[in-house]
Amino acid sequence: MMTPQTFKEWRKALGFKQKEVAEKLGLKKRVIQYYEKGHRDGKAVEIPKSIELACLALALGYEHYDAAVLPDKVAGEDTAADDETAASQAKQPGDRPGDDSTAASPSDRESTAKMPDETTAS
């Protein structure tokens, strides 16, 4: 969870002014001020998870996202041992985290879906 102090430190570490970070996050400058103070009119203000994740994206250099699949690893974290481990534990497409069963991929499910009987036409 991002605290008001860590939010402010993040902004300053990236060299953003409040107005700049507000524009990048799609917020008003006043909301940035609330996040950094941690309260508004005496009531606590929590930084939403979506803003926390947007801060991460900006810190990684992503200002726009085109829904492309991102690489498995962030640059600098990759090692040969990690690659071997990942390859030996690779899941099949369609698998979900924590699901050890083999799941059909979307294309497999489509091909096994019941098709209309073409022999009864005309």
Side-chain angles (χ1 to χ4, degrees), residues 9-75:
E9 289 170 1
W10 163 83
R11 176 182 62 80
K12 288 186 171 193
L14 291 178
F16 294 134
K17 296 193 179 301
Q18 287 179 336
K19 182 177 169 78
E20 291 172 315
V21 82
E23 290 170 358
K24 290 183 181 295
L25 293 173
L27 302 170
K28 295 191 181 281
K29 180 182 171 186
R30 190 73 185 139
V31 174
I32 301 302
Q33 293 169 341
Y34 296 146
Y35 288 165
E36 290 186 2
K37 286 182 182 179
H39 59 85
R40 176 185 177 196
D41 300 329
K43 295 181 184 177
V45 172
E46 191 172 308
I47 299 168
K49 178 68 78 177
S50 58
I51 297 300
E52 187 176 341
L53 293 171
C55 291
L56 172 63
L58 288 173
L60 292 173
Y62 293 96
E63 290 200 24
H64 302 284
Y65 181 55
D66 62 0
V69 176
L70 300 177
D72 290 341
K73 303 229 182 238
V74 176

Side-chain angles (χ1 to χ4, degrees), residues 93-113:
D95 286 354
R96 290 173 291 198
D99 183 7
D100 291 333
S101 65
T102 55
S105 69
S107 60
D108 290 342
R109 286 191 295 270
E110 289 171 12
S111 65
T112 60

